Amino acid sequence: MDDSAQRRRLLTLTVGAVAAWGALLALGSYLGIDSQTPSRDVRRLAVMAACSGVFVGGWLLALWFRARRKR
């Protein structure tokens, strides 16, 4: 496997891991295991999923701009 394919695979795995972490964080906020907060609040799930999605999307957009500028 050449160097660029390895870098692409590592980047894909890293982005996938960050996206999975965001999904787990959103699920945990939805379940609300703290006894003083209401459980199963869809708004918390939506906020956490949106924040994680914006982060990953912004990261991918920055990588796309960098690759485009290198050409």
Side-chain angles (χ1 to χ4, degrees):
M1 194 179 269
D2 65 336
D3 189 42
S4 94
Q6 286 181 346
R7 277 190 272 155
R8 181 175 291 282
R9 183 174 179 184
L10 180 61
L11 178 63
T12 302
L13 288 172
T14 305
V15 170
V18 171
W21 172 77
L24 286 174
L25 189 62
L27 180 64
S29 67
Y30 168 72
L31 294 175
I33 59 175
D34 184 15
S35 63
Q36 295 185 355
T37 59
S39 61
R40 312 253 193 281
D41 189 358
V42 178
R43 294 173 294 177
R44 288 188 293 185
L45 174 83
V47 167
M48 290 308 303
C51 289
S52 298
V54 166
F55 176 77
V56 171
W59 186 17
L60 291 174
L61 189 64
L63 288 172
W64 179 73
F65 276 130
R66 186 185 82 178
R68 199 170 147 208
R69 189 172 40 160
K70 279 186 172 182
R71 288 186 215 168

